[in-house]
Amino acid sequence: MTMSTPNERKLPPRRIGLSSALLVTALSAALVFAAALLTRTGVLDLPPIYDELYHLVPAMSWQTSGTLEVLDGSYERGAIFTRLVALGFALAGEQSTAAARLLPSAIPGALLVAVMFLWVRYVADRPAAWITLFFLLFWPNGIEVSQYIRFYALQGLAFLVAALVLYCAATAAISTSARIALCALAVPLLLLALKLQLTTVIGIVAIGLWAALVYGPGWLRRHRWLRWALLAAAAGVVLIAASGAADELLAKYWRIYRWEPWPVQRDTTFYHRDFRDNYPTFWPLFPIAAIAALRARFLPASFAVTLFSVCFVLQSFGGLKNIRYLYPVMPFFFATWGIVLSFYGGRALRRLRGALLELFPHRWSVPLRTGAAVLAIAASGLFVAGANTGFSHGLKLALGSETQMLLGKRRWEWPDARAQLQPWLEKRAVVVTTEELLAVQWLGDYDFALNRPRFSEMLFSLGPDTQPFVRDFRNGRPLAGLVSDFEPVLHCAPIGVLISNASFLSTGIAREFAAMARAHGATVSIEPSSSSALLAWERAGDPTRTAGCLEDAGIFYPDAAAALLSETRQPQSVSVSTQ
């Protein structure tokens, strides 16, 4: 009897059919999406922060009248997103914060996690994908943006998908027609992201830079005409710069890039501090991790490192600062670490396990020493995770334990404001506020806004010659930036109130406003509550003459008291959780 050789005895490798592979991929993506959505619904039904009202109020208007009205103005920025909020209301059958957050923010936020997981699995391996997923699931910025009634989650998803599609177009072994089709697919996604957020331009620059660095040298070697085209383009740029023809255009875009609302801080270390505080283990080592990732898997690592690094640097030296502006590219930071830990982590863990097995007493049985080694490694992993507050903060957000703040801003509510204001409305008081949309939400209307940061936005949009009490195009109400601007209002209005958050009363603005009112012979009274605060002034005079006096001063007077007393204007509130 002839004996079989080892090769003959070996069973043929099991092949998984295409349909089975697609099914496994779909199931994995569905499970990841479900897990991500679960971590992004912990604070779904809590009250809105101020910025979220820019979409909530117009969405309610869209449902009732098909417009994006806020009082006598219109908030057009991110109109696509606002319509999605209105659609969320319609599908849920109620105007609630949960409905406003789920469809346009939470679902795109969870989809971003699933898409990134699949990409890392495709370009690297399963361990790298699972490590990246761990970062993404407990990513504080990702969890908050996904429950933020603003367009950042949708913009992040559109940009990320477009970027990954372009990566596939550049790297996959496919036909030219397929590459063109993928590029055509990416264009509308990038346009959507750009429509929602101008910082998308920085991401597009990063993609272009990656393509130039990785493929540029090869293209130049293969196609000599590209060298001449590049030289001609460079010469054209030099000539245009020397002629000064583009000076005005360049100055315009430089101003946009560097602009920030009052107070101007020029804080170039903002993002560095955020990463340092949230990921103190991973941030200082990121340059080394980037090099290691490039050594492990050059193409995907170079893409991830370039997109994250370029956006990080350019955003750091730009004007506006908020961690949500890095939302579309932070997954690439996590992917870099996923690639590194997957490629080198296995070997490191095996060596650590071996060292621990030698360290433990040899009289212990092998299973006992192995179990102790596993426990020691697991404890070390938990220690590292616990030392990086990003994970613990993310877990807190996922569990819904953080109820007062969102993206660093407090959820202010004014349930007592209308009752506080009612006696003053009956006296035909002028209504001034520092929180315009909270006044719309809880009162229904106001006359004048005292808000220096938002007035600085008017200066940027309309020009440096913009005068106080310009009508804010977002709501049609007069807006001024300084207390001193209210001199004519205090002169014309014998009775008025300044309503704001409870913390406002301890500010220098409140003290300055009260002092100016007293200088006009008014008696100032302060009415605090747990959430809102009222600073009222009253002196002898006829309130019915306020409108004519302000008109003579060239100031538009909406007469909010009349609109609120007649119920022409109603509070614009949505239902929230009572927890």
Side-chain angles (χ1 to χ4, degrees):
M1 179 176 168
T2 307
M3 293 190 64
S4 302
T5 65
N7 285 339
E8 289 174 324
R9 289 197 303 268
K10 223 168 160 184
L11 293 173
R14 184 181 176 187
R15 296 184 180 276
I16 299 176
L18 178 62
S19 59
S20 299
L22 289 175
L23 179 61
V24 170
T25 300
L27 287 174
S28 300
L31 288 173
V32 169
F33 171 77
L37 191 61
L38 187 64
T39 63
R40 282 150 173 77
T41 53
V43 294
L44 205 65
D45 58 350
L46 292 184
I49 62 172
Y50 184 91
D51 290 353
E52 294 180 291
L53 295 170
Y54 279 118
H55 294 290
L56 280 172
V57 176
M60 289 187 281
S61 172
W62 184 262
Q63 271 203 306
T64 56
S65 63
T67 67
L68 300 175
E69 288 181 356
V70 181
L71 298 179
D72 295 327
S74 181
Y75 188 76
E76 303 289 340
R77 188 182 178 198
I80 296 171
F81 180 86
T82 303
R83 294 186 184 105
L84 285 175
V85 173
L87 178 59
F89 288 159
L91 292 174
E94 63 175 4
Q95 292 179 341
S96 66
T97 52
R101 290 178 175 130
L102 181 61
L103 177 64
S105 292
I107 290 176
L111 282 172
L112 180 141
V113 174
V115 169
M116 196 65 190
F117 170 82
L118 291 176
W119 181 72
V120 176
R121 181 180 169 184
Y122 170 72
V123 299
D125 52 29
R126 285 187 179 87
W130 289 110
I131 293 167
T132 303
L133 177 63
F134 178 80
F135 276 98
L136 290 169
L137 287 179
F138 301 102
W139 168 29
N141 184 33
I143 295 172
E144 289 187 296
V145 167
S146 298
Q147 296 172 89
Y148 182 39
I149 310 172
R150 293 285 274 171
F151 40 74
Y152 296 99
L154 185 60
Q155 179 250 345
L157 177 65
F159 173 80
L160 185 94
V161 172
L164 299 184
V165 165
L166 290 173
Y167 175 87
C168 291
T171 60
I174 54 178
S175 65
T176 302
S177 59
R179 293 186 201 280
I180 294 172
L182 287 175
C183 291
L185 175 62
V187 170
L189 291 170
L190 287 175
L191 290 175
L192 172 61
L194 189 59
K195 178 73 173 175
L196 292 171
Q197 179 64 9
L198 190 59
T199 53
T200 301
V201 170
I202 296 175
I204 295 172
V205 168
I207 295 171
L209 181 61
W210 171 78
L213 291 174
V214 173
Y215 293 103
W219 292 339
L220 290 173
R221 282 194 301 270
R222 288 194 301 272
H223 307 290
R224 295 177 65 88
W225 64 269
L226 280 177
R227 304 178 194 177
W228 295 108
L230 188 62
L231 286 172
V237 169
V238 171
L239 287 173
I240 291 172
S243 69
D247 286 358
E248 188 175 337
L249 186 65
L250 290 173
K252 172 187 173 183
Y253 285 108
W254 178 255
R255 186 169 67 93
I256 292 172
Y257 171 64
R258 293 287 288 166
W259 180 83
E260 57 183 310
W262 182 90
V264 176
Q265 296 179 345
R266 298 287 183 249
D267 187 0
T268 56
T269 63
F270 173 86
Y271 295 111
H272 162 71
R273 294 197 308 273
D274 188 275
F275 277 85
R276 179 200 64 194
D277 296 343
N278 281 290
Y279 301 104
T281 302
F282 301 96
W283 180 238
L285 295 173
F286 180 72
I288 297 172
I291 295 169
L294 290 169
R295 172 67 179 82
R297 298 188 183 276
F298 178 76
L299 276 178
S302 64
F303 190 71
V305 170
T306 302
L307 259 66
F308 173 76
S309 300
V310 169
C311 291
F312 179 90
V313 172
L314 291 181
Q315 293 277 23
S316 292
F317 287 95
L320 289 167
K321 300 289 190 306
N322 195 296
I323 193 61
R324 64 178 180 263
Y325 298 145
L326 287 182
Y327 174 81
V329 295
M330 277 186 71
F332 294 105
F333 171 76
F334 302 139
T336 302
W337 273 107
I339 291 170
V340 168
L341 294 176
S342 171
F343 193 83
Y344 299 100
R347 280 174 277 182
L349 287 175
R350 284 191 293 273
R351 289 188 179 184
L352 180 60
R353 176 178 171 275
L356 288 169
L357 288 175
E358 291 297 320
L359 180 66
F360 294 137
H362 284 256
R363 65 176 179 271
W364 290 7
S365 65
V366 173
L368 180 59
R369 282 189 292 156
T370 301
V374 170
L375 285 175
I377 292 170
S380 300
L382 289 173
F383 181 82
V384 171
N388 291 267
T389 56
F391 297 125
S392 57
H393 187 204
L395 179 61
K396 187 178 180 181
L397 288 165
L399 296 174
S401 303
E402 177 56 82
T403 60
Q404 296 300 315
M405 306 289 287
L406 181 68
L407 290 166
K409 297 182 180 182
R410 181 171 170 178
R411 304 176 190 273
W412 286 102
E413 294 184 275
W414 293 357
D416 304 324
R418 182 57 194 265
Q420 277 183 302
L421 194 63
Q422 186 63 28
W424 297 98
L425 293 177
E426 292 170 357
K427 296 179 180 181
R428 301 300 298 272
V430 166
V431 181
V432 181
T433 186
T434 61
E435 304 290 340
E436 302 96 289
L437 288 179
L438 284 174
V440 173
Q441 180 190 13
W442 293 100
L443 304 176
D445 204 352
Y446 68 93
D447 291 310
F448 304 108
L450 168 56
N451 195 313
R452 190 168 181 181
R454 275 184 276 284
F455 186 73
S456 70
E457 294 177 26
M458 292 295 105
L459 293 172
F460 175 73
S461 300
L462 304 178
D465 296 329
T466 301
Q467 297 300 307
F469 299 107
V470 62
R471 294 180 68 175
D472 189 340
F473 52 81
R474 292 166 293 195
N475 53 46
R477 292 293 174 265
L479 170 65
L482 302 174
V483 171
S484 58
D485 295 333
F486 280 79
E487 187 76 31
V489 173
L490 289 168
H491 170 74
C492 292
I495 303 174
V497 294
L498 172 56
I499 188 165
S500 186
N501 298 321
S503 59
F504 172 76
L505 293 176
S506 61
T507 65
I509 296 174
R511 291 190 291 271
E512 185 182 353
F513 198 98
M516 194 165 72
R518 291 189 184 100
H520 280 79
T523 301
V524 175
S525 58
I526 293 173
E527 300 177 16
S529 75
S530 59
S531 54
S532 57
L534 206 69
L535 187 157
W537 73 90
E538 185 173 8
R539 60 175 172 79
D542 185 358
T544 62
R545 296 184 178 180
T546 298
C549 180
L550 287 171
E551 184 179 351
D552 291 341
I555 298 173
F556 171 69
Y557 177 47
D559 198 356
L564 294 174
L565 289 172
S566 65
E567 299 186 353
T568 304
R569 297 289 186 187
Q570 298 283 343
Q572 301 290 303
S573 295
V574 294
S575 60
V576 298
S577 170
T578 56
Q579 67 179 37

